[in-house]
Amino acid sequence: MQVLIYPSYEALSVAAAEVIAEVVATKPDAVLGLATGSTPRALYKELIRMHKDEGLDFSHVRTFNLDEYVGLTAEHDQSYHYFMHENLFKHINVNPQNIHIPSGTTHNYPAFCQWYEDRIEECGGIDVQLLGIGSDGHIAFNEPGSSLGSRTRIKTLAEQTIDDNARFFKSKDDVPIYAITMGVGTILEADKLVLLASGDGKAKAIADAIEGPISAMCTASSLQLHPDSLFFIDGAAAGNLEMRSYYEWIQAKMPGAPHPD
Ligand code: F6R
């Protein structure tokens, strides 16, 4: 695990975007695992800038999103299909046929979930998976109590997540109760994991994930099992880390490590 602490949300986003861009530059048909929510927005802006200003080429890239709300059509302005189109896909040269996002409107969820798993495998597995973290420590929609070996499936959202996400909807009652989500086991199979967190609302979840026991009660703690997981966080999200000065020492001494300056 590498814990990389940056002075601002913008700085951590740019540094994490460089990791994704490096994967795409070295493997033009890379398989990218993508996330939605507030946190990755600035990273996507930076990837768009790199595409426009530096010619970063997404034409052969394949993408798999983590999750989607059950019941929202792709056109719904709070669906993750819509989010990805607005915040990334319409601004870069990704081939629409290479985009995969779980369907929120399929009639056969078990079959769809199996197809999604099989499709990831057919594409050779995910090279780099981008993640946010919920204030309850979830990754994707793997809420507390999710098996650390879980696969793509339907999950019932925790009340905390419904409260957190109500800000995107007209009212709390409009937040879907179910989501289709990659499992923790699915996520852990990616070659590299890049988790972003910003703000003091994430400080407890980040401390539990990095320094707590590996537990289904904080599914982000499963990243401790992964050989190549990177946490890009700001000072506020790092606020509860007991070993913070040690992580900063490692970051400062690491040759070639992404640096705050
Ligand atoms: C979204 C996702 C979720 C979010 C998490 C944090 O695709 O997988 O796990 O990453 O809920 O959301 P924000 O970034 O809005 O705080």
Side-chain angles (χ1 to χ4, degrees):
M1 278 197 304
Q2 281 183 48
V3 182
L4 302 161
I5 304 171
Y6 291 85
S8 67
Y9 167 63
E10 286 68 29
L12 76 86
S13 302
V14 168
E18 280 165 12
V19 171
I20 309 285
E22 174 73 21
V23 172
V24 174
T26 49
K27 185 178 175 194
D29 65 347
V31 179
L32 304 182
L34 300 175
T36 59
S38 308
T39 313
R41 281 175 188 265
L43 179 148
Y44 291 147
K45 259 194 192 154
E46 178 61 8
L47 289 181
I48 294 164
R49 190 202 64 72
M50 288 171 168
H51 169 65
K52 295 202 163 132
D53 297 351
E54 296 164 14
L56 185 63
D57 180 16
F58 292 89
S59 59
H60 297 291
V61 156
R62 283 82 51 84
T63 71
F64 286 87
N65 264 79
L66 285 169
D67 42 20
E68 178 58 286
Y69 289 116
V70 166
L72 299 195
T73 62
E75 295 72 38
H76 190 290
D77 66 2
Q78 291 309 324
S79 75
Y80 290 166
H81 281 76
Y82 187 88
F83 176 99
M84 289 309 302
H85 183 70
E86 290 301 309
N87 288 283
L88 183 63
F89 296 147
K90 78 174 185 188
H91 305 285
I92 60 175
N93 63 337
V94 63
N95 180 344
Q97 289 185 336
N98 290 343
I99 294 171
H100 305 82
I101 305 178
S103 167
T105 54
T106 176
H107 293 295
N108 187 343
Y109 280 97
F112 181 85
C113 292
Q114 189 56 54
W115 175 82
Y116 205 70
E117 290 275 338
D118 293 346
R119 188 75 194 114
I120 293 172
E121 210 179 308
E122 265 168 33
C123 290
I126 292 172
D127 291 298
V128 57
Q129 176 66 58
L130 186 60
L131 298 165
I133 184 169
S135 60
D136 63 3
H138 70 224
I139 47 173
F141 275 125
N142 294 289
E143 299 286 26
S146 295
S147 161
L148 300 185
S150 51
R151 313 299 309 187
T152 304
R153 69 209 183 290
I154 290 202
K155 254 325 265 184
T156 309
L157 270 52
E159 205 164 357
Q160 176 73 59
T161 303
I162 292 178
D163 286 344
D164 288 348
N165 291 0
R167 69 189 193 280
F168 298 118
F169 291 82
K170 283 200 192 83
S171 83
K172 184 178 161 181
D173 291 340
D174 292 332
V175 184
I177 291 170
Y178 303 105
I180 178 167
T181 180
M182 276 190 209
V184 179
T186 320
I187 291 167
L188 290 181
E189 281 172 10
D191 280 354
K192 184 189 275 294
L193 301 177
V194 171
L195 187 147
L196 313 184
S198 166
D200 55 12
K202 300 293 173 70
K204 183 182 180 308
I206 281 292
D208 288 346
I210 295 171
E211 295 178 339
I214 297 171
S215 163
M217 293 313 288
C218 172
T219 53
S221 66
S222 64
L223 271 65
Q224 295 176 31
L225 293 166
H226 195 280
D228 190 6
S229 60
L230 305 168
F231 288 78
F232 288 84
I233 62 180
D234 61 14
N240 287 19
L241 287 171
E242 280 184 25
M243 301 285 284
R244 175 173 176 170
S245 55
Y246 177 54
Y247 309 134
E248 286 172 336
W249 163 261
I250 297 172
Q251 187 175 359
K253 300 292 168 208
M254 199 180 293
H259 197 271
D261 306 329

